[in-house]
Amino acid sequence: MRTIALLAALLLSSRAAAQAATASHSTTRAAASGSGSAAVKQLHAAHLTGTLTIDGHLNEPAWQTADSATGFTQSYPNPGQRPTQRTVARILFDDAALYVGVRLYDAHPDSIAAQLGRRDATSIYSDWVHVMIDSYHDRRTAFRFSVNPRGVMKDAMHSNDVNEDASWDAVWQAATAMDDSGWTVELRIPLSQLRFGAVAPGSERVWGLGLQRDIARNQERDAWTPWTRNDAGFVSFFGDLVGIDDLRVPARLEIQPYVSTSLTRAPGSTDNPFFDASDYAAKVGADLKYGLPKGFTLTATVNPDFGQVEVDPAVVNLSAFETFFPEKRPFFLEGADMFDFGRINTYNNYQFQQFFYTRRIGRAPQLSAAGGDAQFVDQPDETTILGAAKVSGKTAGWTLGLLDAVTAEEKARVATTGGDELTTPVEPMTNYFVGRVRRDLRGGQTVVGAMITSANRKLSDPVFAPVLRSGALFGGVDFEHSWNRHTWSLTGYVSGSRVEGSPAAITATQQSSARYYQRPDADYLGVDPTRRTLGGHMAELALDRSGNWDMSLGYKEASPGFEINDLGFESRADYRAVSWFAGQRVTHSGRIFRDYSYYGYGNLVWNFGGDRTFEGYGVGANGTFKNLWYAGVSGNVSPDYVSDRLTRGGPLALVPASWSASVNGGSDSRKMLSTSGFVSVARDVAGGWSRSANVSLSLRPSSSLLFTTGPSLSRLLETEQYLTTVPDPLAAATFGQRFVFGNVKQTTLSLDTRVDWTFTPTLSLQLFAQPFIASGSFSSLKELSRGGSRDFAFYGVDRGSIHRGASCDAPDASGDSFLVFPDGEGGAAGCFEVPNPDFNIRSLRGNAVLRWEYRPGSTLFFVWQQERSAFAPVGDFAFGRDAHELFRAPARNIFLIKLSYWVGR
């Protein structure tokens, strides 16, 4: 029966191919392995004879010699239906480039959306045409080239079938033209910008091909090969580009030298010997790309400069954990997916980690020269990257990525109170290495891979050894197995880590907030002050279904000794977690909704000692209305659970049950003025609460100018904010230590504002500003009465006394510190001091970037960055006062000019 079914399918696909060839000159054939038994469309490319002028007009005779791609269908809003407008595409090639010509018919050309934006713009209201080339033909990787009717260009790299890396940039050309029939576009894509190797003699060269069109006014996407938002894959749904057997593999060499100069004007004291009111600096460096055999590419950078990169936003972090900031530097962004390890197909996961966190390379120095007898300190803000190189590519089902980077030793200059000037190291020279390999099987439906990373520091100066680890090693294997055209998948990984260093450095690692080996009630842990190494593992497994019904079930664990923060990012180890999710997506346009979804999820977490350290359940729903407004609601609840992190290395403490709810929505983004926002509330049974709201306004007064702004306001009362730990042998119920907490009322207000002014597709001005004000007022100091509970003894009410003063040595002197007498004044426990924790933070960060791509691949930047910051131990929030003080704060201004020049073949 299987044989008969296969013969019938082949017969039907052959008949469909013949019909398609008659209608549109494109063909279909049985899908390659990995695409199931579905038919795959084919388009024949023609060898270019004569010349082409890339002007957007398809009037050269050569275009008529190429076969045409037609038969597009809607991806949304009505999947599978005929498009509202017709599209025809053709492809030519020669020894240097691939040429794509597309005629996009439109019965109402005056309604074509054609706004301007800088390259890679994502927030403009516009029609688009997308050309995707899978030159590896692995049905998992593709290079995307997109153009809008005004000639705005976007490019991106797709990997792992569904992932998109918009930071990938190629050097290519595009031109458009509009007429009474719609609009046309011509693309010239140099073969050097694609990745492919030679084929065996007599073999056929086949590439994957995806063609899509967006019609903005209808919120419509049309695709040459059928694809919908409910499909579990993307690249695997492409058709094939054939007829390119005699393509020449190009020699690929690109060099992009740059020169930059900057002026920094910052406030300072004339008594500071390092102060310079006008600090000039110049840099020279270069980026290089070189084509290696088999389609691999060497990418290198020497002395890179990232002065044009947008500044990080201001945050207030009262936790014990590091704040994660996304990567923004182009060299590390491009091809980042190549080094992505342990990607799990799931809709719900516990704890975020990143096994390769590129911001560790070039990080701010980890040691500080301040303190002691240092009166003035001149310390670098970042570590110099001497050089970095990557080798990446795919061949014969293998994917390989190698990266190596070296950062310099950094030193700070110090002026002491005694009048001496000296230098002290604050960051050692470090080598970072990452290796990643993957193997595609079953046409990409099964993938296995491995990864290894290492960080090795040169700790030649004795100042480093007690603080920093000398080396860190991470390694692991991962896999993905999918079936039913990627509708179902099983993904997982197993990994291990090992760090080494002095006993002091490894002791600090054991006691860090990620693990807290010193917890007195954890009999499975314990600090070993003689250790010179620490190791652990992390593993995860998930079953996932994607489509109109989305479901996932996952298990994840990280042993207490797992540590990757030398070249990765993790907040905590020591947990076992079960996570689940179920929901439905309806993407067919109906009477009320264009699409909607609803879902539910849950998480259960235990540490390796068996304590339940988290439990939470949630539901939600989202929908887009026929008028393109949208709305969503969500809510979750958490019963009581214990925390092994709340006391910062002390005993367990009970976290109160809580609930939260949120509502979000927005208007039609096609309009000149649109808005979006959200409101959320939360409360726990101990009296804690939070409320937050955000409103965002987007105004486009012309096709070239976009203005967005939005205030965000949050207020909260945290009743279990950790303050300090005080050793006291009299505190027997809490293992000889007093764990001091307080209530904190916190208010945070920010106003993110952006202006995007695009003069031409190659000349744009972007401005960003974030005024930020935050306050925190502490009260009701208390201590944990016993481990594993939520019982607190309030100072001055349940236990001892408390008042404000200068210090325990001068309790009657005026001051803002909290002076605590746990047994009352004169009691056996004595007195301890909690310095005033109240705060008011005022910050203004912004930049302006004028970007001109004066020739393909070559760019001129003019940049202005400004930072203002001020701190006051006030505690209360007063907008008028704080805003006034913000703009009175001294400003640090940086002016930068950067010129790069691209040379390639």
Side-chain angles (χ1 to χ4, degrees), residues 195-210:
R195 303 292 180 260
F196 61 97
V199 297
S203 299
E204 179 185 17
R205 184 188 297 280
V206 181
W207 287 354
L209 175 65

Side-chain angles (χ1 to χ4, degrees), residues 16-34:
Q19 292 171 344
T22 302
S24 64
H25 303 288
S26 61
T27 61
T28 59
R29 68 176 181 179
S33 62

Side-chain angles (χ1 to χ4, degrees), residues 695-714:
V695 176
S696 178
L697 298 175
S698 178
L699 174 65
R700 185 176 285 277
S702 71
S703 64
S704 61
L705 182 61
L706 175 64
F707 175 80
T708 58
T709 187
S712 296
L713 175 65
S714 68

Side-chain angles (χ1 to χ4, degrees), residues 648-666:
R648 312 285 175 93
L652 297 172
L654 193 65
V655 176
S658 63
W659 62 267
S660 67
S662 67
V663 178
N664 69 87

Side-chain angles (χ1 to χ4, degrees), residues 132-144 156-163 168 195 207-210 234-236 238 337-338 393-395 398-399 438 440 443-444:
M132 283 83 67
I133 306 294
D134 175 9
S135 54
Y136 292 120
H137 202 235
D138 61 358
R139 301 199 179 278
R140 297 179 61 85
T141 311
F143 305 95
R144 175 164 63 85
M157 183 177 182
H158 295 272
S159 62
N160 198 33
D161 198 8
V162 294
N163 301 332
W168 179 78
R195 303 292 180 260
W207 287 354
L209 175 65
F234 182 69
V235 179
S236 57
F238 288 179
D337 279 352
M338 185 72 69
K394 301 192 70 165
T395 182
W398 289 92
T399 303
R438 291 197 298 264
D440 295 357

Side-chain angles (χ1 to χ4, degrees), residues 521 641-647 650-655 720 741 784 786-790 792:
D521 56 354
Y641 59 87
V642 296
S643 171
D644 54 6
R645 297 294 184 267
L646 190 64
T647 57
L652 297 172
L654 193 65
V655 176
E720 298 178 0
F741 292 80
L784 186 68
R786 56 187 176 86
S789 75
R790 196 171 62 239
F792 291 94

